[in-house]
Amino acid sequence: MSKIPSVKGTRDFYPDQMAVRNWIMDGWRAASVRNGFVEYDGPIFEHLQLYTQKSGDEIAGQLFSLTDRGGRDLAIRPEITPTLARMVNQQINSLPRPIKWFSLPRLCRAERPQKGRLREFFQWNIDIIGSNNSEYADADCIYTAVDYLRSVGLTPDDIIVKISSRSMLAALLLGLGFDREQLDTIYVLLDKRPKLPEETFMALAEEKIPDNSLRKKLLDILDNCNDIDILVEKVPDSVQDNIEDLRVLLDLLTQLGIEPYCQFDINIVRGLAYYTGTVFEIFDRQSQLRAICGGGRYDNLLAGLGGPQITATGFGMGDVVLEILLQEKNLLSTIKNELDFFVVWDDYHTFERVGLNIVNQLRLRKYSVAFDYRRTDDALGKQLKQASNQNTKFAIIIMKDEIKANKTLIIKNMATSNQKTALLDDFLSKPDNYMSNNELNT
RNA sequence: GUGAGAGUAGCUCAGUCGGCUAGAGCACCAGGUUGUGGUCCUGGGGGUCGCGGGUUCGAGUCCCGUCUCCCACCCCA
């Protein structure tokens, strides 16, 4: 028999890694809920057409597709937004608005794996559909992303939310004299600027924008992209409304208290035809990694999938880059599988008569409890070693003579090594008192 | 899809010019320890040197292919 390896770009989650994954996803879920989102999910595969209809036929080469026994072309989901659109379209007239939904889908993309990108990953998605105020919804969306990242210990020194607006950029380019057909080319050009050396970028800019004065005007604006007050003086009148919208959004984020995390950045463009308004991406401050999170407004998506014209905004945050960053910032070191209690003994008859009842009573109260499986006496050291290996918080030591003489056992804090005698009944009636007891914890 | 680097124990790696039965640390298991884990000491298990082919008296070592990992492109929903 030969050993079969894991599939390229996939991960095995051994218990230690699984603890980290659960911690990340529990955090996503908690952040979603406290920001007023409710969870949904869909199937892990869909009709291939659901994806090609939205993104074009080229997308088929980048996803895992299959033909079922009835000859249907299917694909494993590479994103969940089309599923969301399908589900929402199906019940659009009965869902109360705004629709604030989140999901934690497992996704697959047939791309070559590299740092921060695998073929199978998890992605936190939130979407706000049908809100009647774009700025409030966009602000709440960005806030929710920051709320999570802040909650796991990332500070404004670690990450930055770069915000811009597709509609503003389009108005700006048209106002400067670009043709509508050139817009996509310029988007791609701007998107690449942060990734290229300045010289390479300038060469590419000359190639894509041969008109010297036009290029100069654009670059002059780009070079002042960090200050919206300067920008506002340099752009044509036709762009003022868009800039005002952006100002409102940035002011809302300030009022929400996350200004230190946020920054206007005109280079944020986000892919192609998808987005219609606000766009944002979150990066590590050193810009060493891929984007942690990306999102924005996409008011045409539901219509593109056979639904009504309705506003929508949202983001996706993958687990891969996020975990690399959290690791680098040493924010994962305390995450491990733990046990509340481990019951040990010096006499297995006593354990069976007294200890197993303790195990049952504690488990009924939702504590995690385990014990050693060797049915022998005088193995205290080995049992405590087991307790250590399982990251036990407290050992419950049952000594035959003490239980027999005065119904006491020993509670030992494994981290501090402190231990304390406890009356059996007293301990069982309020285990929390012992878990928070100062003598044991200091 | 394009290009570079890597692959030896569960993990991190050493292994000289091609030459004896392939090693270390960590981890794991057992013992030292008959009222107590982490430290320390001793012992043990664990390897088709990624896989296949070639050169050679002889290959972990050299050559070819292949797979996987990793990094940069393309792309990035």
Side-chain angles (χ1 to χ4, degrees), chain A residues 145-157:
Chain A
V146 173
D147 183 35
Y148 167 74
L149 295 167
R150 187 175 57 183
S151 76
V152 296
L154 292 168
T155 71
D157 291 335

Side-chain angles (χ1 to χ4, degrees), chain A residues 155-276:
Chain A
T155 71
D157 291 335
D158 302 319
I159 53 168
I160 180 71
V161 186
K162 296 182 176 178
I163 302 164
S164 186
S165 162
R166 279 291 278 273
S167 45
M168 186 275 288
L169 185 58
L172 171 59
L173 293 173
L174 293 173
L176 286 175
F178 286 95
D179 296 331
R180 193 163 283 281
E181 301 78 59
Q182 286 179 279
L183 293 187
D184 283 352
T185 311
I186 309 299
Y187 291 156
V188 172
L189 181 69
L190 298 190
D191 195 39
K192 287 192 175 178
R193 189 177 196 188
K195 301 170 195 165
L196 296 175
E198 191 60 12
E199 281 178 25
T200 315
F201 171 77
M202 294 307 280
L204 195 61
E206 277 181 44
E207 183 195 327
K208 300 295 182 189
I209 314 171
D211 183 325
N212 281 326
S213 81
L214 197 53
R215 186 176 67 249
K216 216 178 152 205
K217 270 197 285 181
L218 177 61
L219 292 179
D220 179 49
I221 287 172
L222 292 184
D223 289 339
N224 294 290
C225 69
N226 287 333
D227 193 332
I228 205 165
D229 290 321
I230 296 175
L231 180 71
V232 79
E233 286 168 16
K234 290 179 176 284
V235 300
D237 288 347
S238 57
V239 189
Q240 296 300 334
D241 282 355
N242 288 294
I243 293 206
E244 186 51 32
D245 289 346
L246 209 45
R247 275 185 190 281
V248 169
L249 174 61
L250 292 169
D251 182 58
L252 293 172
L253 296 173
T254 301
Q255 297 305 319
L256 279 164
I258 59 167
E259 186 195 11
Y261 286 94
C262 300
Q263 182 182 88
F264 167 63
D265 188 331
I266 203 168
N267 291 299
I268 298 304
V269 179
R270 300 279 304 151
L272 297 175
Y274 199 92
Y275 291 98
T276 56

Side-chain angles (χ1 to χ4, degrees), chain A residues 338-403:
Chain A
E338 286 184 318
L339 210 50
D340 294 321
F341 296 108
F342 197 98
V343 180
V344 304
W345 62 88
D346 69 340
D347 171 77
Y348 76 87
H349 288 104
T350 309
F351 169 67
E352 287 168 18
R353 277 186 294 108
V354 180
L356 286 173
N357 180 49
I358 295 173
V359 169
N360 181 41
Q361 294 301 324
L362 291 171
R363 285 177 178 169
L364 281 172
R365 289 176 174 78
K366 316 293 184 203
Y367 295 104
S368 53
V369 187
F371 54 90
D372 192 273
Y373 289 160
R374 80 197 92 197
R375 199 171 191 236
T376 57
D377 297 334
D378 308 321
L380 257 187
K382 287 165 190 150
Q383 294 175 348
L384 283 166
K385 189 177 169 69
Q386 272 251 12
S388 270
N389 287 345
Q390 294 187 42
N391 299 318
T392 299
K393 293 178 191 160
F394 295 90
I396 297 169
I397 305 173
I398 301 172
M399 305 307 293
K400 179 185 176 182
D401 293 343
E402 293 173 31
I403 274 286

Side-chain angles (χ1 to χ4, degrees), chain A residues 326-345:
Chain A
L326 291 171
Q327 195 78 54
E328 285 178 358
K329 298 294 176 185
N330 196 29
L331 293 170
L332 298 176
S333 55
T334 58
I335 298 155
K336 56 191 173 194
N337 294 301
E338 286 184 318
L339 210 50
D340 294 321
F341 296 108
F342 197 98
V343 180
V344 304
W345 62 88

